[in-house]
């Protein structure tokens, strides 16, 4: 259970084009999904929080007009990198939040997709 | 503010040897702690999590971690590693906002 998929796994595009990345929770509903960016040999950097049916919340320093996020259903969130440039080349990873009950407490665990490697030429 | 520190950026060990990957956290409130593993060019896979209850948490692939409140630590251990355990390991804490904060990561390299 708790499987998250991403599509595509790898994309190469020309500078100035837009790229859409899909994140799907396959066997659970996720009211919240998160988008991360990871540079080589570094940790994950949270870009934005995506809530179903509402606008995404972006972290400081992340351009919302450049990284468009849509969370149209309980199982799908998309990240569109608009007018991509070489500096946008990175590994983009999404996660979906699943709720658990443990010892009477409710909390959540994030389940991660396999990532999308974006290369902008 | 809550944060996580992984004390070792790289840990090389020989196959079948035990390993410990260190993680310390700082928090003024109750914490939920996680260990994730990332294989090359892949996303993160949940190894184990501490939410409450027993301080010794067992995860997948033979890993376990112990929550130590007095030392604010959540070290990951495995008694005997395999070549396939070579990966990047991330410790993380969840904020009240439900955002995950990751440590810097520890690269575990298993040598034959």
């Amino acid at each position: 259970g708790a499987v998250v998929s991403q599509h595509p796994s790898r994309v190469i595009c020309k500078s100035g084009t837009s790229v859409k990345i899909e994140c799907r929770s396959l066997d659970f509903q996720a009211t919240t999904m998160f988008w991360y960016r990871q540079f080589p040999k570094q940790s994950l950097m949270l870009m934005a929080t995506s809530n179903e049916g509402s606008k995404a919340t972006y972290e400081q320093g992340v351009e919302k007009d450049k990284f468009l996020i849509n969370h149209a259903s309980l199982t799908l969130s998309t990240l569109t990198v608009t007018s991509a440039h070489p500096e946008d080349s990175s590994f983009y990873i999404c996660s979906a939040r699943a709720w658990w009950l443990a010892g009477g407490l409710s909390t959540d665990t994030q389940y991660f997709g396999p990532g999308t490697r974006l290369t902008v030429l | 503010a809550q944060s996580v520190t992984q004390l070792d950026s790289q840990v090389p060990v020989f196959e079948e040897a035990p390993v410990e990957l260190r993680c310390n956290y700082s928090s003024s409130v109750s914490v939920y702690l996680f260990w994730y593993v990332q294989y090359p060019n892949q996303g993160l896979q949940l190894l184990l999590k501490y939410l409450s209850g027993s301080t010794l948490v067992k995860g997948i692939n033979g890993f376990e971690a112990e929550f130590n409140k007095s030392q604010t630590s959540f070290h990951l251990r495995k008694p005997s590693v395999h070549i396939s355990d070579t990966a990047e390991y991330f410790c993380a804490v969840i904020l009240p906002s439900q955002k995950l904060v990751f440590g810097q990561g520890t690269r575990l390299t298993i040598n034959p």
Side-chain angles (χ1 to χ4, degrees):
Chain A
V3 177
V4 177
S5 70
Q6 270 183 253
H7 179 79
S9 58
R10 187 181 296 266
V11 58
I12 301 173
C13 68
K14 293 182 178 180
S15 186
T17 60
S18 294
V19 174
K20 180 186 283 189
I21 303 170
E22 292 186 349
C23 177
R24 293 181 185 272
S25 56
L26 298 185
D27 50 3
F28 66 100
Q29 293 182 333
T31 55
T32 303
M33 291 183 173
F34 301 86
W35 287 96
Y36 296 84
R37 186 172 180 175
Q38 186 180 32
F39 291 105
K41 299 185 187 299
Q42 293 188 28
S43 190
L44 279 72
M45 181 190 79
L46 179 65
M47 298 174 65
T49 303
S50 169
N51 292 297
E52 187 267 336
S54 65
K55 291 184 178 180
T57 304
Y58 292 82
E59 295 300 300
Q60 192 172 9
V62 178
E63 299 175 60
K64 63 179 181 181
D65 294 330
K66 180 166 187 62
F67 299 99
L68 301 178
I69 292 173
N70 183 273
H71 194 156
S73 77
L74 288 173
T75 60
L76 173 65
S77 176
T78 60
L79 168 68
T80 301
V81 183
T82 62
S83 187
H85 288 93
E87 56 266 30
D88 298 323
S89 298
S90 189
F91 195 52
Y92 292 88
I93 307 176
C94 72
S95 72
R97 193 172 111 189
W99 282 95
W100 292 84
L101 285 174
L105 301 174
S106 63
T107 185
D108 72 285
T109 298
Q110 289 185 31
Y111 291 91
F112 286 79
T116 297
R117 172 79 56 196
L118 171 63
T119 303
V120 185
L121 302 176
Chain B
Q2 291 174 293
S3 66
V4 171
T5 302
Q6 290 182 244
L7 300 167
D8 307 297
S9 59
Q10 296 187 64
V11 174
V13 296
F14 288 106
E15 194 172 15
E16 298 183 4
V19 69
E20 178 180 83
L21 305 183
R22 298 182 292 170
C23 172
N24 285 87
Y25 68 91
S26 64
S27 174
S28 58
V29 298
S30 298
V31 291
Y32 300 136
L33 293 157
F34 303 81
W35 274 100
Y36 286 90
V37 59
Q38 184 179 33
Y39 298 103
N41 296 310
Q42 294 187 31
L44 275 66
Q45 181 180 3
L46 180 66
L47 275 179
L48 48 81
K49 58 182 181 280
Y50 172 76
L51 305 178
S52 65
S54 173
T55 57
L56 183 62
V57 180
K58 293 189 182 297
I60 62 171
N61 300 343
F63 284 94
E64 63 180 33
E66 185 158 18
F67 173 67
N68 188 318
K69 190 174 182 179
S70 62
Q71 297 187 10
T72 61
S73 67
F74 190 55
H75 300 334
L76 181 70
R77 301 186 185 99
K78 186 170 182 177
S80 176
V81 295
H82 190 267
I83 292 284
S84 60
D85 292 323
T86 296
E88 189 86 19
Y89 291 79
F90 292 96
C91 183
V93 64
I94 198 160
L95 302 178
S97 64
Q98 305 304 318
K99 296 177 184 178
L100 270 178
V101 174
F102 287 92
Q104 301 89 328
T106 297
R107 177 164 297 278
L108 176 62
T109 304
I110 312 300
N111 299 306

